[in-house]
Amino acid sequence: MTTVSQAAPVQVQPARAVPTKVRTSPLVQIAIYGLLFFLCFTWLFPLYWMVSTALKNDPQVYTIPPVWLPDPMFWNNFVDGWARYDFNTAAINSVFRYSLPVTVLTVISSYIVAYGFAKITWRGQGFFFGLCIATMMLPWQVTMVPLFIIFKNLGWINSPLYLPLTLPALFGHPYFIFLLRQFFRTIPEELSEAARIEGASEWTILWSIILPLSKPAVAVVVLFRFLWSWNDYLGPLIYLNKDDLYPLALGIWRLQRTATSTGNTALAYPHLMAVSTIVALPVIIAFILAQRTFIEGISLTGLKG
Amino acid sequence: MAATTVPRRSMTRSERHNQILGLLFISPWLIGFLFLAVIPLLASIYYSMTNYDFIREAQFIGLTNYRRLFTIDPDFWKVMYNTFYYVLIGVPIGAGMAFLIANLLNSDVKGRVIYRSIIYIPSIVPAVCTAMVWLFLLNTQYGAINGTLKSLEWPTIPFLSNPDMSKPSLIIIYIWTQGAAVVIFLAAIQDVPRSLYEAATVDGANAWHKFWNVTVPLTTPVILFNLIMGFITAFQEFTLPWLLTSGGPMKSTEFYVVNLYRNAFVQLSMGKASAMAWILFLIIIVFSLVLFATSARWVYYGGEK
């Protein structure tokens, strides 16, 4: 995969133009554009359906043929849908109980561990790094039951600090350790060496020399860790069963259960789609703003969304 | 890995210093590895040989859980069939589509960044939102597709309510979320040295020859990596089937982890769930090893061969 070795590290080609001199026939050109537009249309359609349904009232929802462009649009659905469940609390839980602590802890711990793997030479390094990578292959279900039993015995089910989900972040995340290590290896060793000669400790080098150079890689970790916890459904589902602790993902699930399980209540779908739009929107905006960081992260390590 | 086999000699003072420092830096990961992986793994083997439901003490029953799963469990083979259906059809089609789309994006077109974004965004939208959107999009009465079919007085498609349609429907959604693979493939294709294409052109190769004899061979390492990661994640699919169909209709989408979750947290059969987790782990290992073993035949590793 892309192992970057230029001086300015993690610079994955932002879709570089291909300077082909070979003329493609106009017919082929038209076919390519046609296919691309068709694909983009297909890929966008579900998201469009989400937003357009969010703007409908019930008569528009239950009409055949479907209403493609709601008229009038019911913008109030966003406010009413949000109020149908305590989504304010859920949003606070998502950010402050889950995503923020997990992200901060993962970045710091993975950063320190990756430094130990990349920038210090010691015996057994390769072996331990191999072990670390191997844990990526370990399906989480295998440790799920024992961990659940341990956390339950510790009284951490419904922990207000989300301990079963946040505490493991103290110990680094193999994906990000791998990513940061690959990145550190592209930073010239002379920089650390010069600092060592001047008497700087590894700890100082780590924070004052390597960190400023590692911003792009750290940004990848921050973005993806935040994204994963924001999107996580299963973790909270296992460890939380109190409404006022639910993050957004469980809030939507709860709204769906109450709105559609015994026949559709009034405005069930518009409200569900409105709330889904609100929860998906920060992710989409973050992607648009930090597109390069996203693409770099994926291309470097094969990180999935 | 070689580092451990270096013949031992006594370390110099600075080497010993580095040895301690290195271990210190990676200690967060090492502690986590011990307490969140090794110990739970061992505990999981033990639990898989017990009857445990949180109420009574764990009771050791040897390999009974495994034997029951393979012989008398009413769901196990159905669940295996569902999972393999989903994995063996979904992953190759998903990866194939992603590869073709990546090639399309690599052709000489304007606005590549926009198409790439459109294809990628669905893969980072929270799974709960994805589930809500498709739930209504595929609705038999008023969904976008069936609403249209109905208005044309054509027969509707029971996407999620017919046991024969439910797995293909989930595969369609799976393909929709493969944007990250497209980005990875695109990066790999862009890494193919331009000189190879130019040489091929000189030799009179057409676009198809270049695709089949240059692009494909040189990206096979990335294809292999993606297939393995794709299989591992697809074997563990949970959120979409759980939210869209909760395993139905008629258990047609009761995938492995859906069933495992049900056994663990609905039936509280922690022993059986642990046994299932270990079987899944072995399946994943065997699957990855087989893929690796065949890779010598079709994966091209530069000049290393």
Side-chain angles (χ1 to χ4, degrees):
Chain A
M1 200 154 292
T2 346
T3 1
V4 187
S5 53
Q6 297 99 331
V10 187
Q11 252 194 17
V12 168
Q13 39 305 104
R16 66 167 104 89
V18 187
T20 348
K21 285 284 169 292
V22 191
R23 295 158 270 110
T24 20
S25 74
L27 220 64
V28 174
Q29 284 280 34
I30 291 169
I32 289 175
Y33 277 107
L35 257 172
L36 275 175
F37 286 140
F38 171 74
L39 280 170
C40 288
F41 173 80
T42 319
W43 251 254
L44 268 182
F45 183 75
L47 295 178
Y48 176 77
W49 182 251
M50 170 170 82
V51 178
S52 65
T53 307
L55 292 167
K56 292 176 186 174
N57 63 0
D58 269 345
Q60 290 172 330
V61 168
Y62 302 114
T63 298
I64 288 169
V67 175
W68 302 113
L69 189 68
D71 179 36
M73 296 184 181
F74 295 87
W75 293 94
N76 235 18
N77 286 340
F78 287 97
V79 180
D80 299 341
W82 194 255
R84 231 171 127 163
Y85 177 85
D86 192 358
F87 278 109
N88 282 330
T89 308
I92 291 170
N93 291 341
S94 266
V95 175
F96 293 103
R97 292 191 207 270
Y98 194 6
S99 297
L100 214 54
V102 161
T103 306
V104 171
L105 292 178
T106 307
V107 171
I108 296 174
S109 57
S110 306
Y111 182 77
I112 293 172
V113 172
Y115 187 89
F117 277 131
K119 286 286 172 194
I120 304 172
T121 318
W122 48 282
R123 270 184 197 167
Q125 191 167 32
F127 170 75
F128 283 110
F129 184 65
L131 265 187
C132 178
I133 298 303
T135 54
M136 285 200 251
M137 299 280 223
L138 188 72
W140 54 267
Q141 295 87 358
V142 183
T143 52
M144 175 184 81
V145 166
L147 286 178
F148 181 81
I149 293 168
I150 294 169
F151 291 144
K152 190 181 156 70
N153 288 335
L154 289 168
W156 288 0
I157 308 300
N158 291 326
S159 140
L161 291 175
Y162 280 34
L163 282 173
L165 303 170
T166 51
L167 189 98
L170 272 178
F171 307 110
H173 190 294
Y175 262 117
F176 301 124
I177 293 172
F178 173 69
L179 182 145
L180 289 167
R181 174 190 179 265
Q182 298 305 88
F183 185 86
F184 288 161
R185 283 157 68 98
T186 65
I187 299 175
E189 195 49 37
E190 291 79 39
L191 285 174
S192 321
E193 219 35 73
R196 277 185 202 121
I197 289 165
E198 283 174 28
S201 70
E202 294 295 336
W203 195 246
T204 319
I205 298 174
L206 164 75
W207 295 114
S208 55
I209 295 177
I210 305 295
L211 184 60
L213 293 171
S214 310
K215 276 182 197 150
V218 170
V220 173
V221 181
V222 169
L223 265 179
F224 275 93
R225 197 61 195 94
F226 204 95
L227 177 76
W228 288 352
S229 47
W230 180 265
N231 291 0
D232 186 18
Y233 168 78
L234 182 64
L237 182 69
I238 291 179
Y239 289 112
L240 303 165
N241 50 39
K242 258 169 78 180
D243 262 312
D244 55 346
L245 283 174
Y246 278 176
L248 287 167
L250 290 187
I252 294 180
W253 167 64
R254 180 44 73 81
L255 174 62
Q256 187 225 340
R257 296 274 297 265
T258 51
T260 63
S261 61
T262 48
N264 294 342
T265 54
L267 289 170
Y269 284 117
H271 285 164
L272 266 172
M273 294 299 128
V275 175
S276 296
T277 307
I278 298 174
V279 173
L281 207 58
V283 174
I284 297 173
I285 291 174
F287 171 73
I288 291 169
L289 293 181
Q291 201 182 135
R292 282 187 70 163
T293 309
F294 267 95
I295 302 293
E296 279 158 11
I298 315 154
S299 324
L300 273 176
T301 58
L303 290 172
K304 296 277 167 100
Chain B
M1 312 246 172
T4 43
T5 58
V6 170
R8 305 270 159 180
R9 58 179 166 78
S10 61
M11 294 177 173
T12 64
R13 210 169 137 255
S14 85
E15 273 177 343
R16 191 170 306 125
H17 178 71
N18 273 350
Q19 188 70 24
I20 293 166
L21 262 184
L23 282 169
L24 217 58
F25 270 84
I26 68 145
S27 59
W29 168 76
L30 204 56
I31 295 167
F33 176 67
L34 206 63
F35 287 97
L36 300 174
V38 177
I39 293 174
L41 263 177
L42 297 176
S44 169
I45 298 180
Y46 167 72
Y47 282 119
S48 78
M49 298 185 191
T50 62
N51 231 339
Y52 186 49
D53 59 2
F54 288 120
I55 299 157
R56 279 156 299 174
E57 286 278 299
Q59 180 193 5
F60 188 82
I61 52 171
L63 293 175
T64 311
N65 282 325
Y66 293 91
R67 207 189 60 229
R68 275 193 201 143
L69 279 170
F70 286 124
T71 53
I72 55 171
D73 190 273
D75 293 339
F76 185 73
W77 291 110
K78 171 121 191 126
V79 167
M80 286 283 253
Y81 169 77
N82 290 341
T83 312
F84 272 89
Y85 181 114
Y86 180 75
V87 167
L88 290 179
I89 295 179
V91 175
I93 293 181
M97 287 274 290
F99 193 73
L100 292 179
I101 294 173
N103 272 285
L104 205 59
L105 287 177
N106 190 48
S107 56
D108 189 13
V109 287
K110 289 194 182 70
R112 179 183 304 132
V113 176
I114 296 168
Y115 312 133
R116 187 183 61 184
S117 305
I118 290 173
I119 306 277
Y120 177 65
I121 282 173
S123 75
I124 51 171
V125 165
V128 181
C129 303
T130 305
M132 295 305 131
V133 174
W134 284 89
L135 198 59
F136 184 48
L137 183 71
L138 298 180
N139 185 292
T140 320
Q141 299 278 321
Y142 302 104
I145 299 167
N146 281 322
T148 311
L149 291 176
K150 257 187 162 176
S151 71
L152 298 169
E153 296 187 348
W154 288 358
T156 55
I157 308 168
F159 289 105
L160 295 169
S161 47
N162 178 320
D164 293 327
M165 283 303 300
S166 53
K167 281 189 282 283
S169 302
L170 283 167
I171 290 174
I172 292 173
I173 303 172
Y174 171 82
I175 293 169
W176 186 67
T177 61
Q178 287 308 295
V182 173
V183 173
I184 296 169
F185 284 142
L186 182 59
I189 294 168
Q190 289 177 336
D191 269 356
V192 175
R194 295 213 40 77
S195 56
L196 291 176
Y197 290 109
E198 281 150 18
T201 313
V202 172
D203 288 346
N206 60 25
W208 171 252
H209 289 144
K210 283 184 218 166
F211 170 75
W212 199 240
N213 296 320
V214 180
T215 312
V216 173
L218 280 155
T219 44
T220 42
V222 179
I223 296 175
L224 173 71
F225 173 79
N226 244 280
L227 276 178
I228 291 181
M229 296 315 281
F231 280 126
I232 293 178
T233 7
F235 269 118
Q236 302 180 56
E237 182 63 75
F238 170 79
T239 306
L240 284 179
W242 180 255
L243 286 172
L244 279 165
T245 52
S246 43
M250 291 166 72
K251 295 185 177 162
S252 61
T253 56
E254 184 84 0
F255 293 142
Y256 203 97
V257 174
V258 173
N259 192 249
L260 199 159
Y261 175 88
R262 203 187 298 283
N263 276 310
F265 297 109
V266 181
Q267 318 283 354
L268 298 180
S269 312
M270 289 291 167
K272 183 178 169 190
S274 298
M276 282 188 77
W278 269 93
I279 297 169
L280 177 68
F281 190 20
L282 293 179
I283 293 174
I284 287 177
I285 290 175
V286 170
F287 224 83
S288 307
L289 287 180
V290 168
L291 260 177
F292 269 120
T294 62
S295 71
R297 291 157 180 248
W298 60 274
V299 175
Y300 176 79
Y301 289 107
E304 290 161 33
K305 221 161 127 185

